[in-house]
Amino acid sequence: MMTSRLDERLARLFEAARAEEVDTSAGEEHFETRLLARIREMRSAPPPWYALAWRMVPAFAMVAMLITIGAYLYAPPAQNDLFASITDEQEDSAESSFLTGE
């Protein structure tokens, strides 16, 4: 019983809302002028920082590529000995102990 009265009231409110005439003339007046002014303002504003970052992506990629190529070309030759990394550290400690007199 209570829900049927609420449903009827809601139906009447929807009916009244559909019958209401909305005056849109104030919003339509000079719409094109306002729109063009806003577009002009948006074009004259400086771009956000992330737009500049996206424009710099090719330059960053080029720098990374050059660093990679340079590291590959100018790297010291690799040791073929499997134990080179182990003995290299031992040689450094032997040289330092010789120079310090220990």
Side-chain angles (χ1 to χ4, degrees), residues 20-71:
E20 183 70 27
E21 284 290 323
V22 180
D23 183 23
T24 59
S25 62
E28 294 171 1
E29 188 174 338
H30 305 292
F31 173 75
E32 293 87 4
T33 306
R34 291 193 314 261
L35 179 65
L36 290 175
R38 183 165 182 165
I39 291 172
R40 193 177 319 112
E41 180 183 335
M42 288 174 64
R43 285 184 180 171
S44 67
W49 64 270
Y50 52 84
L52 179 63
W54 274 109
R55 289 181 186 160
M56 295 296 290
V57 165
F60 293 147
M62 184 64 71
V63 169
M65 187 175 65
L66 289 175
I67 289 172
T68 304
I69 290 171

Side-chain angles (χ1 to χ4, degrees), residues 76-97:
Q79 298 282 342
N80 290 334
D81 184 16
L82 293 175
F83 299 104
S85 62
I86 298 171
T87 58
D88 186 36
E89 187 175 320
Q90 290 176 353
E91 289 173 4
D92 288 343
S93 64
E95 290 171 358
S96 64
S97 64

